[in-house]
Amino acid sequence: MLLPTSLVGSYAQPDWLIDRAKLAGRFPPRVRAKELWRVDPELLEQAQDDATQLAIRAQERAGLDILTDGEMRRESYSNHFATALEGVDVDNPGTALDRSGHPNPVPRISGPIRRPKPIQVRDLEFLRANTDHVVKMTVPGPFTMSQQAQNDHYPDAEAAAMDYAAAVNAEVKDLHAAGADIVQIDEPYMQARPDAARQYGLAALNAALDGVTGTTAVHICFGYAAIIHERPEGYSFLPELAGCPVDQISIETAQSGLDLGVLSDLTDKTIILGVIDLSDPEVESAETVAGRVRRAYDRLPPEQIVIATDCGMKYLPRGSAEGKMAAMAEAAAILRSEQG
């Protein structure tokens, strides 16, 4: 399909499922944050399944083409996966600085990082069983997880990142085998810590993709708009992904007004183009969204563009999220009609 539409990953969780005021009043959790859930533990999986069906139906009603599970089961994009690995002590957390420089409780690496079993395959199977659309599942990246942990085991962060990469690699392969059309690796800390990303983060990402045959994406961003308010004018780490064996690269352009000249370095990739501003709950018009997409046309043909949100919609009011998804779908219809 020309100019398909998609979320980056998360959709707004219902108020009956999670305490959204508590969620918004803190930085995204790196360790488990069970206190955020409003539902009793014995009913939580059932409630998360119900919320996932609501997220799927909302995306379908809006007219999106590529669906996610909305990350309804996650307290944050990364902790759901990172705290399920062996080798991390989540009961006695450590501390690491987040991308804004604040100390945050994080998993403490106390032994070799290992993935004892598939972590998100059941989530993917539930998504696949509840829609006939193309589906995408997201997994936190090895570099980002290595930055969101206190390393008390490995000689350096690079060694930790490579074992995280092996865990991600196994998960990506299992997700594709279970029916995922696209698996996206979220690596926001490549933008936040570009020097370390160049030193070993890119090698870890490449290792996470080694031998993967299904369609893959990587998401690089400036952080949740609800948490990180200032946007730089350009990415500090992006052209480096040109040689990475990933098929799609997800970037945000709406809030930052990003100079799209950077796309000239990525002409062999499909670009998941973020054109929905998540810093403002006001719903953009379809024409505004279409205009943001057209900005990329002098760098990439429409055949290499996926229309998407800047980042996850986790912190948006649900009404805003629904309206913004519909605006994306309407913009895609406008743009497709222009292509004849």
Side-chain angles (χ1 to χ4, degrees):
M1 176 179 289
L2 185 67
L3 296 165
T5 51
S6 176
L7 297 183
V8 164
S10 65
Y11 180 64
Q13 290 158 305
D15 293 86
W16 54 258
L17 178 66
I18 205 160
D19 190 327
R20 290 175 56 84
K22 283 184 180 177
L23 179 72
R26 57 177 295 170
F27 282 90
R30 310 305 182 202
V31 294
R32 292 307 308 275
K34 296 179 182 179
E35 69 278 4
L36 293 177
W37 300 106
R38 293 187 184 272
V39 180
D40 289 340
E42 64 270 19
L43 299 174
L44 183 57
E45 183 177 85
Q46 183 183 129
Q48 291 169 338
D49 284 351
D50 290 348
T52 300
Q53 291 205 51
L54 291 175
I56 292 168
R57 299 287 90 80
Q59 292 172 78
E60 290 178 342
R61 280 197 311 274
L64 299 193
D65 304 301
I66 301 167
L67 269 55
T68 77
D69 70 345
E71 301 179 5
M72 292 289 116
R73 299 177 180 86
R74 307 188 197 184
E75 296 148 8
S76 82
Y77 72 95
S78 62
N79 77 333
H80 180 69
F81 186 89
T83 58
L85 299 171
E86 289 182 350
V88 296
D89 187 341
V90 295
D91 296 319
N92 301 286
T95 302
L97 298 180
D98 59 33
R99 66 186 297 159
S100 63
H102 293 85
N104 227 1
V106 295
R108 186 174 61 84
I109 303 175
S110 56
I113 297 293
R114 298 289 185 268
R115 188 196 73 139
K117 60 183 179 180
I119 297 168
Q120 296 175 190
V121 164
R122 192 262 179 188
D123 303 347
L124 179 279
E125 289 172 343
F126 187 89
L127 170 62
R128 179 73 287 166
N130 280 280
T131 186
D132 58 2
H133 286 53
V134 173
V135 297
K136 177 175 75 172
M137 186 61 69
T138 63
V139 181
F143 177 71
T144 291
M145 284 191 287
S146 75
Q147 302 300 295
Q148 296 177 352
Q150 178 176 305
N151 175 23
D152 289 352
H153 173 74
Y154 291 96
D156 51 43
E158 180 176 359
M162 296 311 290
D163 270 2
Y164 275 119
V168 173
N169 181 258
E171 185 77 6
V172 171
K173 290 176 178 175
D174 281 345
L175 288 169
H176 278 306
D181 297 299
I182 305 162
V183 179
Q184 176 180 296
I185 298 175
D186 293 331
E187 282 285 18
Y189 272 65
M190 285 187 161
Q191 159 64 25
R193 296 175 183 168
D195 293 339
R198 294 184 189 98
Q199 290 168 14
Y200 60 88
L202 189 58
L205 178 60
N206 288 342
L209 295 165
D210 184 48
V212 173
T213 56
T215 301
T216 55
V218 63
H219 172 62
I220 307 284
C221 72
F222 302 121
Y224 286 115
I227 307 295
I228 307 295
H229 303 292
E230 298 298 323
R231 289 295 190 266
E233 294 180 357
Y235 279 88
S236 57
F237 186 96
L238 194 62
E240 291 86 349
L241 294 173
C244 176
V246 74
D247 302 299
Q248 304 179 358
I249 297 174
S250 169
I251 64 171
E252 56 177 289
T253 74
Q255 185 185 354
S256 64
L258 185 75
D259 180 355
L260 297 185
V262 69
L263 298 182
S264 298
D265 298 312
L266 303 170
T267 54
D268 64 332
K269 307 295 186 186
T270 293
I271 298 299
I272 303 173
L273 192 71
V275 289
I276 296 294
D277 185 349
L278 304 180
S279 68
D280 185 355
E282 188 73 22
V283 175
E284 299 96 325
S285 69
E287 186 51 51
T288 294
V289 177
R292 292 170 180 166
V293 177
R294 292 188 196 100
R295 291 179 61 226
Y297 281 3
D298 61 345
R299 305 291 178 178
L300 285 174
E303 291 78 11
Q304 284 177 246
I305 297 173
V306 175
I307 300 173
T309 53
D310 267 13
C311 192
M313 300 184 98
K314 189 178 186 75
Y315 293 93
L316 276 184
R318 284 175 69 188
S320 295
E322 290 175 0
K324 286 173 179 281
M325 289 192 303
M328 270 202 302
E330 291 166 19
I334 292 169
L335 294 166
R336 289 170 193 150
S337 68
E338 292 172 354
Q339 297 297 315

